[in-house]
Amino acid sequence: MKLQDRDKNHIWHPLTQHRTAQPPIGIVKAKGALLWDEEGNEYIDGIASWYTAMYGHGHPTITKAITQQMETLDFVMFSGLTHEPAVRLSEKLMEVLPANQQKIFFNDNGSTAVEAAIKMALQYHHNAGEKRDTIIAFENGFHGDTFGAMSASGLSAYNGPFEDFLLKVIRIPVPQEKNSEGVLELLKNSIEANKCAAFIFEPLVQGAAGMKFHSAAGLSALIESCQQNDVICIADEIMTGFGKTGKTFASHYLTHQPDIICLSKALTAGMFPLSITSCTQQIFDRFLSTETHKGFFHAHTFSAHPLGCAAALAGLKLLQSDEIIKQQKLIANAHENFVQKIAKHPKVHEARCKGVILAIDLAVEMERYGNLRDRLYQYFLEQGILLRPLGNTIYVLPPYVISEDQLQKMYDSIEGALAIV
Ligand SMILES: *Cc1c(COP(=O)(O)O)cnc(C)c1O
């Protein structure tokens, strides 16, 4: 029996309405920028499997690092014990993170990194005897699917059943060139009228919202204002991290640095579930006390998994290699040329790119997971390309190792798609 058919018996897929969804594709092999299904069809992984496999699938440097690690130390719990891969990763991350970051807290996925960040911010105030109960977040942000992260997320279409149970969140628009002053005013008023504990944001690019960009200067001003009021700023770089925006982290575009940063996805080159929540010395120090309960009593069993840390260390080396830096530039240039080429197409509302992120908003209305989105998804699959349009936005976020031919094939297919919408 085919995977596709056996899958139906016992598997419940994420983000899926099983009544109407197409059967999933059975993937049997992945290498570099390519995937193969059980029928032998080949696909370009145009979004690097949710922007995780940025150095390509099965990169020998990463698989070797994990294999070697497995042979010496597979896993130990991280409470009361420590190990070389975690210590080394903390040292290496310090070299690339914004200079104000000092401590690394380990988790096991993006949502739990955000969850830890929010709890840190709330307890930071609690430890000082202050009750602050409100989080500020951007409209249309996405931070994950656990309760704290879901509360902060502003893409609410699917959160209906849980709304009564969410944290208290105030939402502000993202700052663009034109509305920056107004958004800053709104933030200041919100801080004045509420007991705000934290401000959480995806810096510069909102991924799940459809790769929407906003202003670095505008965001810097919001951070500055928060920090003047001791509102903890949390940068969710789970999507933007590790070179996707043209700098190692999107925070590097800012003039004011966040207090807390969340990383996952490409952290381990897409090879292992692991995440980190980094913070400043000031935040860490707020948890030091002779009273035990003022510590951060939060843990996940697989915190700082040695295999994930080994993958992350190898990934950082690749990120800094000449080969990957060259590829990042090549992709960024190719995207820019393509944006210029199609920006004026009558079916294109807006085309934009930043680093290796390319997004095209179509000049057609459709529901976020409506019919046209499904048609586009199928159309690209038939062309041998795996893309997941978001609403009326087609986006490309390829592995750095993609070839020029493979990139061109995606651009050609997108132009073909414009003819069928
Ligand atoms: C993917 C993502 C998350 C959630 O990560 P999971 O590992 O899926 O829980 C949070 N924030 C952003 C910006 C993401 O892209």
Side-chain angles (χ1 to χ4, degrees):
M1 251 216 292
K2 285 195 337 184
L3 278 177
Q4 220 170 46
D5 300 320
R6 283 163 55 209
D7 175 281
K8 226 176 4 225
N9 293 333
H10 301 296
I11 292 185
W12 189 344
H13 282 271
L15 303 179
T16 300
Q17 173 46 266
H18 276 279
R19 181 94 181 242
T20 51
Q22 295 280 330
I25 303 163
I27 296 294
V28 293
K29 192 180 151 188
K31 188 79 190 164
L34 294 176
L35 308 173
W36 287 271
D37 72 13
E38 57 187 324
E39 318 263 280
N41 298 310
E42 184 180 290
Y43 306 91
I44 299 172
D45 189 353
I47 59 167
S49 289
W50 270 337
Y51 14 102
T52 58
M54 293 309 292
Y55 314 102
H57 292 278
H59 196 295
T61 305
I62 311 288
T63 50
K64 200 170 131 210
I66 294 180
T67 311
Q68 278 178 352
Q69 182 56 47
M70 197 152 35
E71 282 162 0
T72 46
L73 171 63
D74 52 357
F75 172 73
V76 282
M77 61 193 168
F78 205 56
S79 249
L81 304 174
T82 192
H83 48 74
E84 171 72 18
V87 173
R88 206 171 155 70
L89 181 56
S90 72
E91 292 163 354
K92 287 291 164 193
L93 283 171
M94 282 308 131
E95 292 172 14
V96 291
L97 280 166
N100 68 340
Q101 299 299 301
Q102 282 300 321
K103 297 285 177 184
I104 305 285
F105 189 88
F106 285 93
N107 317 282
D108 50 11
N109 65 59
S111 300
T112 56
V114 169
E115 212 70 28
I118 291 174
K119 284 178 70 176
M120 270 178 200
L122 292 172
Q123 191 176 342
Y124 170 88
H125 297 294
H126 182 88
N127 279 358
E130 246 192 284
K131 186 171 159 47
R132 296 208 191 189
D133 60 1
T134 303
I135 313 283
I136 304 168
F138 280 146
E139 290 168 0
N140 299 321
F142 176 73
H143 300 289
D145 282 338
T146 52
F147 265 83
M150 179 170 60
S151 302
S153 299
L155 289 166
S156 57
Y158 304 105
N159 288 349
F162 318 111
E163 253 158 32
D164 291 348
F165 310 100
L166 301 180
L167 301 177
K168 197 173 154 203
V169 175
I170 292 176
R171 254 171 250 297
I172 58 173
V174 295
Q176 308 286 6
E177 236 121 81
K178 285 190 204 114
N179 69 348
S180 276
E181 300 268 304
V183 176
L184 181 59
E185 219 32 52
L186 205 58
L187 176 92
K188 285 181 176 166
N189 293 341
S190 303
I191 292 175
E192 208 148 283
N194 297 275
K195 294 185 162 51
C196 294
F199 167 40
I200 183 165
F201 50 88
E202 294 161 88
L204 302 207
V205 187
Q206 291 185 297
M211 301 295 154
K212 297 284 195 295
F213 301 169
H214 57 262
S215 146
L219 177 56
S220 297
L222 299 178
I223 293 173
E224 181 180 23
S225 181
C226 282
Q227 288 175 339
Q228 284 163 356
N229 292 283
D230 207 21
V231 174
I232 303 299
C233 293
I234 304 170
D236 176 351
E237 292 236 26
I238 293 166
M239 191 285 285
T240 49
F242 303 99
K244 298 191 192 85
T245 63
K247 293 189 191 266
T248 304
F249 298 107
S251 294
H252 287 135
Y253 286 96
L254 305 173
T255 53
H256 291 74
Q257 291 304 323
D259 306 292
I260 295 180
I261 298 180
C262 302
L263 303 175
S264 187
K265 291 201 166 113
L267 168 67
T268 56
M271 208 81 89
F272 204 90
L274 181 81
S275 65
I276 65 108
T277 308
S278 69
C279 71
T280 59
Q281 190 69 42
Q282 185 188 335
I283 291 185
F284 180 79
D285 287 349
R286 183 65 68 85
F287 291 72
L288 299 177
S289 171
T290 49
E291 298 169 83
T292 309
H293 67 87
K294 287 202 168 165
F296 192 48
F297 281 82
H298 176 100
H300 297 288
T301 305
F302 289 115
S303 296
H305 200 299
L307 301 188
C309 294
L313 283 163
L316 273 177
K317 242 191 232 154
L318 285 177
L319 184 69
Q320 292 160 340
S321 69
D322 293 343
E323 181 212 335
I324 294 296
I325 293 168
K326 198 177 109 223
Q327 281 290 115
Q328 287 173 335
K329 289 193 181 131
L330 182 145
I331 296 166
N333 282 337
H335 280 354
E336 273 170 35
N337 291 336
F338 184 61
V339 163
Q340 289 220 327
K341 183 175 179 201
I342 60 153
K344 299 248 159 62
H345 190 289
K347 294 281 178 59
V348 172
H349 172 65
E350 187 193 80
R352 58 184 173 274
C353 62
K354 188 166 192 67
V356 301
I357 304 168
L358 166 72
I360 298 145
D361 298 339
L362 301 177
V364 287
E365 285 303 317
M366 60 174 166
E367 284 183 29
R368 188 173 168 75
Y369 279 94
N371 236 334
L372 185 51
R373 183 255 170 223
D374 294 344
R375 262 174 57 210
L376 283 170
Y377 179 71
Q378 289 300 333
Y379 163 85
F380 287 121
L381 283 181
E382 282 155 23
Q383 307 257 319
I385 295 167
L386 182 63
L387 292 177
R388 279 178 67 91
L390 290 160
N392 60 2
T393 303
I394 298 171
Y395 78 96
V396 175
L397 213 169
Y400 298 136
V401 296
I402 197 165
S403 72
E404 284 187 88
D405 286 349
Q406 288 166 336
L407 255 186
Q408 192 56 50
K409 185 175 168 188
M410 285 204 282
Y411 297 150
D412 292 344
S413 286
I414 291 171
E415 284 196 83
L418 295 178
I420 63 156
V421 298

